[in-house]
């Protein structure tokens, strides 16, 4: 009995320590937050019918830590019943199959038009063709949405998301 | 008794933005340690389950630890931080009540208005070894040395967090940060946009009302203004209740490569009590104003934080002072150089001017001179040296402070911290800190009591005399700490210390002398002297366990022991004025339909010197977020109505008030934009 208990304990401990010792990258809080924002954004976006599929493909240009944070328990994550696939892309590589692209800094320019939700923390990303720009203010993450760029990409963005945005750009006056 | 002076701006050491932004050592000491309570929360690696509104209220960098591999992430000091969430879930209506949640902080409620608060011993209504700052500005008073908590009401929704550092902080914060430092950080204006109105009522706290409005003004700056009023029971029958009214503002705006902050508060407090000096029941009236202007930002090669501030305070019939008038003004600058090789250097300079005027009651207590003006200057320097891939750090720092009436004080520290691995961090420190003698200890003359003489013989008069030659009290402190994360969601923070105090200021009997009067008496004088040597040691343990996403448990334990080597002729004692043990536990439960339940429990050991028994208290709070705009909560203190006193009332020389169950309900409505 005691041996069994000890064995259980040992198993428990080793699994906990194991993960830490296996060199799992420690993702910063900041990047965990970015991943969480990204995941939430997807819930407020409607893709055009031609982009419909069972799987929502999220591509990352750089931002490895954000990709890692989003990949935790990936098989359990769903956006409106769509499963998620996470892929890394090199700068300049084609983004054809991507539904969502997260771009680190100015590492990749965005071609407007494709039905892709583009998100980045690059400065002025929203006014340079991107759909959502993340930025930090007062130690909180905030975002700007450019509805004109979303419209060109054929994306519909829920008004609930627009309400939470610090700024909405490209809106008709 | 009297209260607070309001010196100034301890070197913008830690305005919030800055803390999160820079890896300055100075700041690091504080922020860094956001330790125990937060590391656990942070370890929940996946935040995608949270909704956007929740995410938008989360700090990007709670510790520098979250900032990738910054080793300044963990403080080489015993640090505990109360977050906004802790404050929201506490059910507390004042800062002292919040501090009850912090392991290692001794909190005793003396009466409806008064609190005795310290860390690592020497508690008293006039506890004088704990420095308290609000946004970097000291609220420690030079009149009696200590903090008048009753005058420092800070609206809880305006608080971003409260950082508590146990152990000496003299090398950074200067004199009087002997046993610890508490920094209350208020929210940035940009975090409080919108309109909030809240009202509450209860049996001991009769009513509390507050309004706040925040927004962006045309030039791009953010601002907020607030006003708050409350009325609390005076437990003494026949006296007026405590009424407090205050208002304040904060304005933040980008300016050059940094940010400008302009803030201030105006306060007025009235309450009835037994006025020792007047020997009658009457109303106390205290009003004060504080204004400060600061700039912080990046310069080539480092970061600069400068501030100027002023404080005005007037009181009438407060304890043994019939009238007090205090004015102070200060300037403060802190520069942190960018890391250079292994070194992270920072420098600070400050200057302040204090004006105090205290009038007593002739024949009961007087102050000679009744008016005093003094200047204080200080310089600090600190070097933090990194080794072994930044897993080991050594910190050397000192502050040199000059006072007009006591010796120049040098308060050095040497600290070391070692991140042994992902789950274990060890630190150690050796420091010296001082406390400056107060106005009372230097200039008071108190007629304590008269002993009638035998027929034909003169009476004897016991009198307490201040002593202008007093020097600083000194402390040599030795500390050890261990932060352990045995599992992802469990963290344990242990701190041990041994403190060696010398030149503690206490009264000693002096030779009797005749006073020809009239009436003629024999004076038995007790004179304040740097005379006591004492040793303390103790342990503090804080545990934080996130059991599930909906349940969080926190435990705290504080153990304390003192050897007081005072002489038998001292009037008062230091030993046995603190509990030898205190245990706390909190459970925080998120229930369905946006409701929440919080259970707090504490056991505080006996205070033998004052004849206070050990007591238990269980507190409950239930909160309901009806929707995004409307919130409702009920807090019940001391649910089982275990009636107890928590401390001796030193001001009236009677046992402190006895507290039983109390209930407070609150409703608040907010509209963001």
């Amino acid at each position: 009995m005691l041996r069994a208990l000890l064995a259980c304990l040992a198993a428990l401990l080793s699994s906990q320590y194991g993960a830490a010792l296996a060199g799992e990258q420690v993702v910063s809080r900041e990047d965990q937050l970015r991943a969480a924002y990204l995941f939430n954004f997807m819930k407020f976006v409607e893709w055009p019918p031609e982009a419909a599929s069972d799987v929502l493909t999220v591509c990352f240009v750089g931002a490895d830590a954000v990709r890692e944070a989003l990949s935790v328990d990936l098989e359990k994550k769903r956006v409106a019943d769509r499963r998620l696939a996470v892929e890394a892309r090199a700068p300049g590589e084609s983004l054809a199959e991507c539904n969502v692209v997260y771009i680190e800094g100015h590492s990749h320019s965005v071609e407007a038009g494709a039905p892709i939700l583009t998100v980045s923390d690059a400065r002025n990303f929203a006014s340079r063709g991107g759909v959502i720009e993340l930025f930090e203010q007062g130690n909180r993450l905030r975002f700007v949405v450019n509805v004109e760029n979303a419209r060109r990409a054929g994306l519909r963005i829920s008004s609930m998301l627009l309400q939470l945005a610090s700024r909405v750009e490209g809106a008709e006056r | 008794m009297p209260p607070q002076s309001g010196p100034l701006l301890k070197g913008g050491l830690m305005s919030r933005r800055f803390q999160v932004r820079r890896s300055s050592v100075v700041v690091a000491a504080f922020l860094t340690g956001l330790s125990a309570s937060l590391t656990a929360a942070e370890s929940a690696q996946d935040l995608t389950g949270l909704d956007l509104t929740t995410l938008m209220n989360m700090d990007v960098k709670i510790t520098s630890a979250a900032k990738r591999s910054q080793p300044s992430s963990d403080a080489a000091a015993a640090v505990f931080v109360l977050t906004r969430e802790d404050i929201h879930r506490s059910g507390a209506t004042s800062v002292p009540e919040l501090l009850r949640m912090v392991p290692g902080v001794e909190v005793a409620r003396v009466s409806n208005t008064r609190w005795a608060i310290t860390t690592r011993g020497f508690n008293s209504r006039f506890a004088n070894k704990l420095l308290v700052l609000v946004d970097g500005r000291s609220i420690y008073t030079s009149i009696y040395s200590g903090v008048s908590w009753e005058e420092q009401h800070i609206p809880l929704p305006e608080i971003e967090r409260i950082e508590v550092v146990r152990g000496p902080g003299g090398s950074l914060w200067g004199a009087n940060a002997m046993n610890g430092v508490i920094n209350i950080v208020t929210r940035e204006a940009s975090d409080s946009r919108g309109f909030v109105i809240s009202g509450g009522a209860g049996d001991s706290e009769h009513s509390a009302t507050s309004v706040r409005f925040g927004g962006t003004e045309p030039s791009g700056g953010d601002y907020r203004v607030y006003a708050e009023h409350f009325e609390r029971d005076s437990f003494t029958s026949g006296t007026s209740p405590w009424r407090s009214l205050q208002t304040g503002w904060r304005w933040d705006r980008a300016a050059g490569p940094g940010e400008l902050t302009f803030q201030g508060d105006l306060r007025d407090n009235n309450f009835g009590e037994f006025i020792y000096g007047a020997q009658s029941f009457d109303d106390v009236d205290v009003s004060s104003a504080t204004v400060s202007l600061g700039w912080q930002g990046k310069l080539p090669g480092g970061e600069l934080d400068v501030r100027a501030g002023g404080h005005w305070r007037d009181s009438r019939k407060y304890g043994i002072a019939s009238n007090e008038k205090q004015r102070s003004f200060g300037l403060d600058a802190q520069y942190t150089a960018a890391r250079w090789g292994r070194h992270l250097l920072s420098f600070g300079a400050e200057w302040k001017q204090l004006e105090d005027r205290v009038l007593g009651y002739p024949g009961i207590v007087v102050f000679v001179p009744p008016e005093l003006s003094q200047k204080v200057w200080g310089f600090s320097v600190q070097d933090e040296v990194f080794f072994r891939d930044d897993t080991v750090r050594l910190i050397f720092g000192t502050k040199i402070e000059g006072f007009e009436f006591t010796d120049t004080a040098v308060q050095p520290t040497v600290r070391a911290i070692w991140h042994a691995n992902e789950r274990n961090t060890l630190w150690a420190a050796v420091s010296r800190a001082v406390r400056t003698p107060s106005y009372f200890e230097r200039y008071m003359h108190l007629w304590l009591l008269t002993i009638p003489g035998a027929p034909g013989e003169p009476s004897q008069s016991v009198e307490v005399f201040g002593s202008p030659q007093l020097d600083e009290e000194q402390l040599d402190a030795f500390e050890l700490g261990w932060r352990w994360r045995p599992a992802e969601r469990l963290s344990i923070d242990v701190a041990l210390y041994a403190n060696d105090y010398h030149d503690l200021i206490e009264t000693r009997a002096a030779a009797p002398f005749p006073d020809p009067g009239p009436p003629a008496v024999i004076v038995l004088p007790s004179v304040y002297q740097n005379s006591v040597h004492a040793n303390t040691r103790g342990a503090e343990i804080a545990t934080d366990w996130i059991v599930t996403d909906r349940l969080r448990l926190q435990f705290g334990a504080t153990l304390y022991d003192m050897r007081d080597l005072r002489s038998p002729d001292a009037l008062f004692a230091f030993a046995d004025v603190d509990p030898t043990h205190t245990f706390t536990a909190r459970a925080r439960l998120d229930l369905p339909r946006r409701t929440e339940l919080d259970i707090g429990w504490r056991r505080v050991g006996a205070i033998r010197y004052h004849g206070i028994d050990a007591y238990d208290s269980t507190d409950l709070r239930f909160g309901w977020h009806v929707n995004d705009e409307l919130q409702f909560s009920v807090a019940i203190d001391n649910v089982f109505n275990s009636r107890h006193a928590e401390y001796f009332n030193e001001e009236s020389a009677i046992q402190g008030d006895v507290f039983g169950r109390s209930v407070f309900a609150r409703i608040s409505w907010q509209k963001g934009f």
Side-chain angles (χ1 to χ4, degrees), chain A residues 28 40 77 139-140 142, chain B residues 48 50 56 59-61 66:
Chain A
S28 76
N40 271 280
K77 289 189 173 119
N139 203 28
R140 303 283 161 80
R142 296 288 179 256
Chain B
T48 55
L50 302 173
M56 290 181 75
D59 286 342
V60 175
K61 291 162 198 147

Side-chain angles (χ1 to χ4, degrees), chain B residues 227-527:
Chain B
E228 188 172 69
H229 176 265
F230 67 76
E231 182 179 306
R232 287 180 194 171
D233 200 0
S234 131
F235 295 113
T236 316
S237 58
T239 59
S240 315
W242 178 9
R243 292 194 184 92
S244 166
L245 176 65
Q246 76 180 59
T247 177
W249 76 90
R250 175 164 173 155
W251 176 76
D252 300 310
R253 184 180 188 274
E259 192 173 42
L260 205 58
T261 295
F262 180 50
Q263 62 190 121
D265 301 277
L266 304 167
R267 312 184 150 89
D268 187 46
N269 279 282
N270 285 283
F271 44 86
E273 65 178 12
F274 182 76
I275 315 279
Y276 180 86
Q279 292 290 304
S280 66
F281 288 93
D282 206 341
D283 285 358
V284 176
D285 179 42
V286 196
S287 46
S288 62
T290 306
V291 173
S292 82
L293 179 68
W295 183 86
Q296 47 197 340
K298 283 192 202 309
L299 292 180
E303 279 165 349
L304 181 68
D305 186 336
V306 285
R307 293 207 200 190
H311 179 77
W312 297 259
R313 176 181 171 278
D314 290 280
S315 85
R316 199 179 60 83
K317 295 192 181 168
Y318 205 2
I320 60 173
S322 58
N323 253 296
E324 290 168 288
K325 194 184 200 124
Q326 293 185 287
R327 307 286 180 261
S328 62
F329 179 75
L331 291 169
D332 203 300
Q334 180 78 27
Y335 179 78
T336 304
R339 183 168 163 178
W340 179 68
R342 289 182 180 283
H343 299 270
L344 196 56
L345 277 160
S346 63
F347 308 91
E350 70 172 320
W351 172 88
K352 65 190 174 196
Q353 165 111 25
L354 310 171
E355 315 268 351
D356 296 325
R357 178 162 173 266
V358 188
L359 298 180
Y361 294 87
I364 294 176
V365 60
V366 295
F367 303 93
V368 191
E371 227 168 314
L372 191 72
S373 159
Q374 57 179 317
K375 292 179 183 64
V376 178
W377 55 263
F379 292 101
S380 65
V381 57
Q382 185 161 278
D383 186 15
E384 187 162 356
V385 197
F386 296 76
F387 300 96
R388 295 177 57 111
D389 293 336
D390 296 354
T391 57
V392 175
R393 283 179 294 145
L394 288 179
I395 300 155
F396 306 91
T398 191
K399 179 151 189 171
I400 300 174
E401 261 182 309
F403 308 96
E404 274 181 66
F405 304 108
T406 53
D407 290 346
T408 298
V410 181
Q411 304 188 71
T413 190
V414 179
R415 291 171 186 270
I417 184 162
W418 176 39
H419 297 282
N421 54 43
E422 283 274 300
R423 294 179 184 270
N424 287 283
T425 298
L426 293 162
W427 61 268
V430 179
S431 329
R432 166 161 287 197
V434 307
R435 175 179 80 84
T436 50
S438 68
Y439 195 98
F440 279 21
E441 289 162 333
R442 292 163 51 88
Y443 303 119
M444 184 170 72
H445 179 185
L446 176 74
W447 285 263
L448 197 60
L449 66 131
T450 306
I451 307 165
E457 296 285 315
S459 302
Q460 293 180 316
S461 173
V462 181
E463 299 176 21
V464 180
F465 291 88
S467 152
Q469 317 68 324
L470 285 178
D471 220 327
E472 292 113 10
E473 294 185 335
Q474 306 228 7
L475 162 67
D476 291 318
F478 306 87
E479 299 175 272
L480 269 181
W482 176 35
R483 292 192 190 102
W484 181 34
R485 233 171 81 190
E488 274 302 314
R489 294 173 156 233
L490 177 65
S491 65
I492 298 170
D493 193 332
V494 181
L496 304 173
Y497 63 90
N499 284 351
D500 184 18
Y501 297 86
H502 25 119
D503 295 332
L504 289 175
I505 297 171
E506 195 39 282
T507 53
R508 295 282 300 272
F513 60 88
D515 180 348
V521 292
I522 302 291
V523 176
L524 305 179
S526 264
V527 183

Side-chain angles (χ1 to χ4, degrees), chain B residues 92-93 153-159 194-201 205 207-213 224-232 244-248 664-671:
Chain B
T93 54
H153 190 75
I154 296 149
L156 302 191
E158 314 297 325
I159 300 176
F195 180 74
V196 185
I197 182 161
S198 120
E205 177 155 0
S207 69
T209 324
S210 69
V211 282
R212 185 187 78 208
F213 182 81
R224 73 155 173 265
V225 289
Y226 76 86
E228 188 172 69
H229 176 265
F230 67 76
E231 182 179 306
R232 287 180 194 171
S244 166
L245 176 65
Q246 76 180 59
T247 177
F664 187 74
R666 180 195 295 276
I667 188 158
S668 84
W669 181 79
Q670 60 176 6
K671 187 81 188 163

Side-chain angles (χ1 to χ4, degrees), chain A residues 16-17 20 26 28-30 32-33 35-37 39-40 44 72 77 136 138-142 161 164, chain B residues 16 20 44-48 50-53 55-62 66 160 187 422-423 486-487:
Chain A
Q16 276 169 354
Y17 282 101
V26 179
S28 76
R29 168 72 159 223
E30 205 169 338
Q32 291 170 25
L33 269 173
Y37 268 74
F39 182 70
N40 271 280
F44 292 102
V72 177
K77 289 189 173 119
E136 207 183 309
N139 203 28
R140 303 283 161 80
L141 273 189
R142 296 288 179 256
L161 187 65
L164 293 172
Chain B
R16 183 165 79 83
V20 290
Q45 294 250 326
D46 190 8
L47 303 174
T48 55
L50 302 173
D51 65 33
L52 211 45
T53 35
L55 291 168
M56 290 181 75
N57 279 312
M58 289 174 70
D59 286 342
V60 175
K61 291 162 198 147
I62 29 176
E160 179 63 31
R187 307 194 80 191
E422 283 274 300
R423 294 179 184 270

